[in-house]
Amino acid sequence: MGTTERHTPDILNCLANLSSDEVFTSPELANRMLDLLPQELFCSPMTRFLDPCSKSGVFLREIAKRLLAGLEDQIPDLQQRIDHIMTKQVFGIACTDLTAEMSRRTLYCTKQANGEYSVATAFTDKQGNLRYDRCQHTWENGKCRHCGANRAQYDRVETIESYAYPFIHKNIKEIFHKDMQFDVIIGNPPYQMNVGVEKENYAIAIYHKFVQQAKKLNPRYLCMIIPARWYAGGRGLDDFRDEMLHDNHIKTILDYPNSTDCFPGVDLAGGVCIFLRDTAQKYKDVHIVSFKGNQITSQMDRPLLEKGLNTLVRHNKAITILRKVQQFKEHTFDSLVGPQTPFGFVSSFRDFKEKPFQNAVKYYTYGFTGYISLNQVKKNQQWVKPHKVYISKAYGERGDFPYLFLGKPFYGEPNSCCSQTYLVIGPFNNKDICENVMTYISTKFFRCMVMLKKNAQDNMSYVFGCVPLQDFSHPWTDEMLYEKYGLDEEEIAFIESMIRPME
């Protein structure tokens, strides 16, 4: 009888995610990130690594494996090599009690670093170099000064996890009981935190605080995988985006528009990215690589900031299109787009009549059309009487391109208004102009220019900031726009591949 080769799966490929905000990193993805580093780092007994947000311990394990191979000639004795790596080179800070034990099992093969079955023999305490000490939020005016947590939500009894992550609530000396300098900081931080305000599931981004704290430690290399919504949007990320886009130490960005390409089963709006920062070098251009699955779709060395923008253009192939449009120096379409909640009505507003009455104002909201009195309109009453265009405030799709990127616009007749479900475009002098505006919105060119800034479901006015204004005395087609801006066959093919027709 023949023999069948037995396959032992890596347990770190079999873990269920804690949530869509705290996702486990697969060994494959961890190694993809480690491959970005100069590999000679793993051949030096002096290189010191830190994972500041360890969940499964995968980064530390894969680092240790590379060091074991890289230091074999310098430290031939296996046990001495293991003890040197574990005590002098590999450090971690866990996110919770649970992930601390998981990470120690992964790295030391036991939940206690000094346990009987630990692969390291030189530790005298159970935590080793993989630390977790429960800490507290620092409350100021009802919120944590470090992370923004809401006191009413998180100031609970000690038996309940507080999510006061040590890396952003303590300094390194407090955690490791001595000053530490790291050559490499690498990890996958928690993405957001429920702060329990406005609505029960209201959350704020927290991953950027891990990035900022890591920068303060001034490692030679910083590599993290984080949500990519910072490119152009994200609540509370304006300062972080500005900081990142003006950071001339960023060397590489790997961009994954579909988060499931990195985290199967985890759907994060806007996708994710991996960045590598090198504090010893300054880069005018960043090497930006776009992925679909494990396949590279494009790569380009270019500035993080294009002229006149304050956001990162995600798609490399769109850069030449943008630059051709910018040569015309036209005003942009965002000047026509009103704010969210344009007339002061939230989507849950239901104090309207089903049938029209004398002097009624038509009211549009998701799934309903009704009628209200003019005096019910609390904001922008001057927009009620003119002609205008409505478009959905939120529109998102998942999966592979092509996308629509926007919902279908519709005509907003005089004496009409809407809830926050829609944005107002205009107002305009007559219906013909509205019809011509809608032909422009329906073009693939228009939605390609929206795509450059749209990084989430919401269509705030800023997502129209790359769209050039046109003469709306006549309708527009893609062919007219391609010719006007001198787009070549490759650029047109890119637009056609990314965006599907709006029927």
Short mmCIF file of all heavy atoms in Angstrom, two decimals, residues 336-370:
data_model
loop_
_atom_site.label_atom_id
_atom_site.label_comp_id
_atom_site.label_asym_id
_atom_site.label_seq_id
_atom_site.Cartn_x
_atom_site.Cartn_y
_atom_site.Cartn_z
N LEU A 336 -21.44 72.44 -5.69
CA LEU A 336 -22.88 72.33 -5.92
C LEU A 336 -23.56 71.39 -4.93
O LEU A 336 -24.79 71.29 -4.93
CB LEU A 336 -23.15 71.81 -7.34
CG LEU A 336 -22.71 72.68 -8.52
CD1 LEU A 336 -23.06 71.98 -9.82
CD2 LEU A 336 -23.38 74.05 -8.46
N VAL A 337 -22.79 70.68 -4.11
CA VAL A 337 -23.34 69.64 -3.25
C VAL A 337 -23.56 70.18 -1.84
O VAL A 337 -22.64 70.70 -1.21
CB VAL A 337 -22.40 68.42 -3.20
CG1 VAL A 337 -23.01 67.32 -2.33
CG2 VAL A 337 -22.15 67.90 -4.61
N GLY A 338 -24.79 70.05 -1.37
CA GLY A 338 -25.13 70.53 -0.04
C GLY A 338 -24.63 69.61 1.05
O GLY A 338 -24.11 68.52 0.80
N PRO A 339 -24.81 70.01 2.30
CA PRO A 339 -24.34 69.21 3.44
C PRO A 339 -25.29 68.04 3.71
O PRO A 339 -26.40 67.97 3.18
CB PRO A 339 -24.38 70.21 4.60
CG PRO A 339 -25.52 71.12 4.23
CD PRO A 339 -25.46 71.26 2.73
N GLN A 340 -24.83 67.12 4.56
CA GLN A 340 -25.74 66.07 4.98
C GLN A 340 -26.86 66.67 5.83
O GLN A 340 -26.70 67.73 6.43
CB GLN A 340 -24.99 64.99 5.76
CG GLN A 340 -24.32 65.46 7.03
CD GLN A 340 -23.72 64.31 7.80
OE1 GLN A 340 -24.28 63.22 7.85
NE2 GLN A 340 -22.55 64.53 8.40
N THR A 341 -28.00 66.00 5.85
CA THR A 341 -29.20 66.51 6.50
C THR A 341 -29.52 67.91 5.98
O THR A 341 -29.58 68.88 6.74
CB THR A 341 -29.06 66.53 8.04
OG1 THR A 341 -28.36 65.36 8.47
CG2 THR A 341 -30.41 66.56 8.71
N PRO A 342 -29.71 68.06 4.66
CA PRO A 342 -29.78 69.39 4.04
C PRO A 342 -30.94 70.26 4.52
O PRO A 342 -30.82 71.49 4.57
CB PRO A 342 -29.91 69.08 2.54
CG PRO A 342 -30.41 67.68 2.48
CD PRO A 342 -29.83 66.99 3.65
N PHE A 343 -32.07 69.63 4.90
CA PHE A 343 -33.22 70.42 5.34
C PHE A 343 -33.51 70.23 6.83
O PHE A 343 -34.53 70.69 7.32
CB PHE A 343 -34.45 70.05 4.51
CG PHE A 343 -34.33 70.40 3.06
CD1 PHE A 343 -33.97 69.44 2.13
CD2 PHE A 343 -34.56 71.70 2.61
CE1 PHE A 343 -33.84 69.75 0.79
CE2 PHE A 343 -34.43 72.03 1.27
CZ PHE A 343 -34.07 71.05 0.35
N GLY A 344 -32.61 69.53 7.52
CA GLY A 344 -32.77 69.34 8.96
C GLY A 344 -33.57 68.12 9.36
O GLY A 344 -33.82 67.92 10.55
N PHE A 345 -33.95 67.27 8.41
CA PHE A 345 -34.75 66.09 8.72
C PHE A 345 -33.86 64.84 8.79
O PHE A 345 -33.19 64.51 7.80
CB PHE A 345 -35.83 65.86 7.65
CG PHE A 345 -36.83 66.97 7.54
CD1 PHE A 345 -36.81 67.82 6.44
CD2 PHE A 345 -37.78 67.18 8.53
CE1 PHE A 345 -37.73 68.84 6.32
CE2 PHE A 345 -38.71 68.20 8.41
CZ PHE A 345 -38.68 69.05 7.31
N VAL A 346 -33.88 64.15 9.92
CA VAL A 346 -33.21 62.86 10.00
C VAL A 346 -34.08 61.83 9.29
O VAL A 346 -35.27 62.04 9.05
CB VAL A 346 -32.95 62.44 11.46
CG1 VAL A 346 -32.02 63.44 12.14
CG2 VAL A 346 -34.26 62.31 12.23
N SER A 347 -33.49 60.69 8.98
CA SER A 347 -34.20 59.68 8.17
C SER A 347 -35.41 59.09 8.89
O SER A 347 -36.34 58.60 8.25
CB SER A 347 -33.24 58.56 7.78
OG SER A 347 -32.21 59.06 6.97
N SER A 348 -35.40 59.14 10.22
CA SER A 348 -36.51 58.57 10.98
C SER A 348 -37.71 59.51 11.10
O SER A 348 -38.73 59.13 11.66
CB SER A 348 -36.03 58.17 12.38
OG SER A 348 -35.52 59.30 13.07
N PHE A 349 -37.60 60.73 10.57
CA PHE A 349 -38.71 61.69 10.65
C PHE A 349 -39.93 61.13 9.93
O PHE A 349 -39.85 60.70 8.78
CB PHE A 349 -38.28 63.01 10.02
CG PHE A 349 -39.38 64.03 9.92
CD1 PHE A 349 -39.76 64.77 11.04
CD2 PHE A 349 -40.04 64.25 8.72
CE1 PHE A 349 -40.78 65.72 10.95
CE2 PHE A 349 -41.06 65.19 8.63
CZ PHE A 349 -41.42 65.93 9.75
N ARG A 350 -41.08 61.12 10.62
CA ARG A 350 -42.30 60.57 10.03
C ARG A 350 -43.51 61.49 10.18
O ARG A 350 -44.64 61.10 9.88
CB ARG A 350 -42.65 59.22 10.68
CG ARG A 350 -41.68 58.09 10.33
CD ARG A 350 -41.79 57.71 8.86
NE ARG A 350 -40.92 56.60 8.52
CZ ARG A 350 -39.68 56.75 8.05
NH1 ARG A 350 -39.18 57.99 7.91
NH2 ARG A 350 -38.94 55.72 7.75
N ASP A 351 -43.29 62.72 10.59
CA ASP A 351 -44.40 63.65 10.79
C ASP A 351 -44.78 64.32 9.47
O ASP A 351 -44.66 65.53 9.30
CB ASP A 351 -44.03 64.69 11.85
CG ASP A 351 -45.22 65.56 12.25
OD1 ASP A 351 -46.37 65.16 11.97
OD2 ASP A 351 -44.98 66.64 12.82
N PHE A 352 -45.20 63.50 8.52
CA PHE A 352 -45.61 64.03 7.22
C PHE A 352 -46.94 63.38 6.82
O PHE A 352 -47.34 62.33 7.33
CB PHE A 352 -44.55 63.79 6.16
CG PHE A 352 -44.15 62.35 5.97
CD1 PHE A 352 -44.89 61.48 5.19
CD2 PHE A 352 -43.00 61.85 6.59
CE1 PHE A 352 -44.53 60.16 5.02
CE2 PHE A 352 -42.62 60.52 6.42
CZ PHE A 352 -43.40 59.67 5.65
N LYS A 353 -47.63 64.02 5.89
CA LYS A 353 -48.90 63.51 5.38
C LYS A 353 -48.65 62.64 4.15
O LYS A 353 -47.70 62.87 3.40
CB LYS A 353 -49.83 64.66 5.02
CG LYS A 353 -50.05 65.69 6.12
CD LYS A 353 -50.76 65.08 7.32
CE LYS A 353 -51.05 66.15 8.38
NZ LYS A 353 -51.68 65.57 9.59
N GLU A 354 -49.52 61.67 3.94
CA GLU A 354 -49.37 60.79 2.80
C GLU A 354 -49.91 61.40 1.52
O GLU A 354 -49.49 61.03 0.42
CB GLU A 354 -50.06 59.45 3.06
CG GLU A 354 -49.41 58.64 4.18
CD GLU A 354 -50.05 57.29 4.34
OE1 GLU A 354 -50.93 56.95 3.51
OE2 GLU A 354 -49.69 56.56 5.29
N LYS A 355 -50.83 62.36 1.65
CA LYS A 355 -51.44 62.98 0.48
C LYS A 355 -51.17 64.48 0.48
O LYS A 355 -51.04 65.10 1.55
CB LYS A 355 -52.95 62.72 0.47
CG LYS A 355 -53.30 61.24 0.32
CD LYS A 355 -54.80 61.03 0.25
CE LYS A 355 -55.14 59.55 0.07
NZ LYS A 355 -56.60 59.32 -0.01
N PRO A 356 -51.10 65.09 -0.71
CA PRO A 356 -50.82 66.54 -0.77
C PRO A 356 -51.97 67.37 -0.22
O PRO A 356 -53.12 66.93 -0.20
CB PRO A 356 -50.62 66.78 -2.27
CG PRO A 356 -51.35 65.67 -2.94
CD PRO A 356 -51.23 64.49 -2.04
N PHE A 357 -51.62 68.55 0.23
CA PHE A 357 -52.62 69.50 0.72
C PHE A 357 -52.20 70.89 0.24
O PHE A 357 -51.15 71.06 -0.37
CB PHE A 357 -52.73 69.43 2.25
CG PHE A 357 -51.42 69.58 2.97
CD1 PHE A 357 -50.96 70.84 3.36
CD2 PHE A 357 -50.63 68.46 3.27
CE1 PHE A 357 -49.76 70.98 4.02
CE2 PHE A 357 -49.43 68.60 3.94
CZ PHE A 357 -48.99 69.85 4.32
N GLN A 358 -53.01 71.89 0.49
CA GLN A 358 -52.75 73.23 -0.02
C GLN A 358 -51.41 73.76 0.52
O GLN A 358 -51.12 73.67 1.70
CB GLN A 358 -53.88 74.18 0.38
CG GLN A 358 -53.77 75.56 -0.28
CD GLN A 358 -54.97 76.43 0.03
OE1 GLN A 358 -55.83 76.06 0.81
NE2 GLN A 358 -55.03 77.59 -0.61
N ASN A 359 -50.57 74.27 -0.43
CA ASN A 359 -49.24 74.81 -0.12
C ASN A 359 -48.29 73.77 0.48
O ASN A 359 -47.35 74.12 1.19
CB ASN A 359 -49.36 76.02 0.84
CG ASN A 359 -50.14 77.16 0.23
OD1 ASN A 359 -50.02 77.44 -0.97
ND2 ASN A 359 -50.96 77.82 1.04
N ALA A 360 -48.55 72.50 0.18
CA ALA A 360 -47.70 71.44 0.72
C ALA A 360 -46.34 71.41 0.04
O ALA A 360 -46.20 71.79 -1.13
CB ALA A 360 -48.38 70.08 0.57
N VAL A 361 -45.35 70.99 0.77
CA VAL A 361 -44.00 70.76 0.25
C VAL A 361 -43.80 69.25 0.15
O VAL A 361 -44.03 68.53 1.13
CB VAL A 361 -42.94 71.38 1.18
CG1 VAL A 361 -41.53 70.99 0.72
CG2 VAL A 361 -43.09 72.89 1.23
N LYS A 362 -43.40 68.77 -1.02
CA LYS A 362 -43.17 67.34 -1.19
C LYS A 362 -41.91 66.93 -0.43
O LYS A 362 -40.89 67.63 -0.47
CB LYS A 362 -43.02 66.99 -2.67
CG LYS A 362 -43.16 65.51 -2.97
CD LYS A 362 -43.29 65.26 -4.47
CE LYS A 362 -43.57 63.80 -4.76
NZ LYS A 362 -43.75 63.55 -6.22
N TYR A 363 -41.99 65.79 0.23
CA TYR A 363 -40.91 65.34 1.10
C TYR A 363 -40.45 63.95 0.68
O TYR A 363 -41.24 63.01 0.62
CB TYR A 363 -41.40 65.32 2.55
CG TYR A 363 -40.45 64.70 3.55
CD1 TYR A 363 -39.32 65.39 3.98
CD2 TYR A 363 -40.70 63.43 4.08
CE1 TYR A 363 -38.46 64.82 4.90
CE2 TYR A 363 -39.84 62.86 5.00
CZ TYR A 363 -38.72 63.56 5.40
OH TYR A 363 -37.87 63.00 6.33
N TYR A 364 -39.13 63.82 0.38
CA TYR A 364 -38.55 62.54 -0.02
C TYR A 364 -37.71 61.98 1.12
O TYR A 364 -36.87 62.68 1.70
CB TYR A 364 -37.65 62.71 -1.23
CG TYR A 364 -38.37 63.07 -2.52
CD1 TYR A 364 -38.44 64.39 -2.95
CD2 TYR A 364 -38.96 62.08 -3.30
CE1 TYR A 364 -39.08 64.72 -4.14
CE2 TYR A 364 -39.60 62.40 -4.49
CZ TYR A 364 -39.66 63.72 -4.90
OH TYR A 364 -40.30 64.05 -6.07
N THR A 365 -37.91 60.70 1.42
CA THR A 365 -37.07 59.99 2.36
C THR A 365 -37.01 58.54 1.92
O THR A 365 -37.73 58.14 1.01
CB THR A 365 -37.58 60.11 3.81
OG1 THR A 365 -36.59 59.59 4.71
CG2 THR A 365 -38.89 59.36 4.00
N TYR A 366 -36.14 57.76 2.53
CA TYR A 366 -35.94 56.39 2.08
C TYR A 366 -37.22 55.58 2.20
O TYR A 366 -37.76 55.39 3.29
CB TYR A 366 -34.83 55.72 2.89
CG TYR A 366 -34.55 54.30 2.47
CD1 TYR A 366 -33.88 54.04 1.28
CD2 TYR A 366 -34.97 53.23 3.25
CE1 TYR A 366 -33.61 52.73 0.87
CE2 TYR A 366 -34.71 51.92 2.85
CZ TYR A 366 -34.04 51.69 1.66
OH TYR A 366 -33.79 50.40 1.25
N GLY A 367 -37.73 55.10 1.08
CA GLY A 367 -38.91 54.24 1.06
C GLY A 367 -40.23 54.96 1.13
O GLY A 367 -41.28 54.31 1.06
N PHE A 368 -40.21 56.30 1.27
CA PHE A 368 -41.46 57.03 1.42
C PHE A 368 -41.41 58.33 0.63
O PHE A 368 -40.34 58.92 0.41
CB PHE A 368 -41.74 57.39 2.88
CG PHE A 368 -41.93 56.21 3.78
CD1 PHE A 368 -40.86 55.69 4.51
CD2 PHE A 368 -43.17 55.60 3.92
CE1 PHE A 368 -41.01 54.61 5.34
CE2 PHE A 368 -43.35 54.51 4.75
CZ PHE A 368 -42.26 54.01 5.47
N THR A 369 -42.58 58.78 0.21
CA THR A 369 -42.76 60.13 -0.29
C THR A 369 -43.98 60.70 0.43
O THR A 369 -45.03 60.05 0.48
CB THR A 369 -43.02 60.15 -1.81
OG1 THR A 369 -41.92 59.55 -2.47
CG2 THR A 369 -43.19 61.57 -2.31
N GLY A 370 -43.82 61.88 1.01
CA GLY A 370 -44.93 62.48 1.76
C GLY A 370 -45.01 63.97 1.52
O GLY A 370 -44.38 64.52 0.59
#
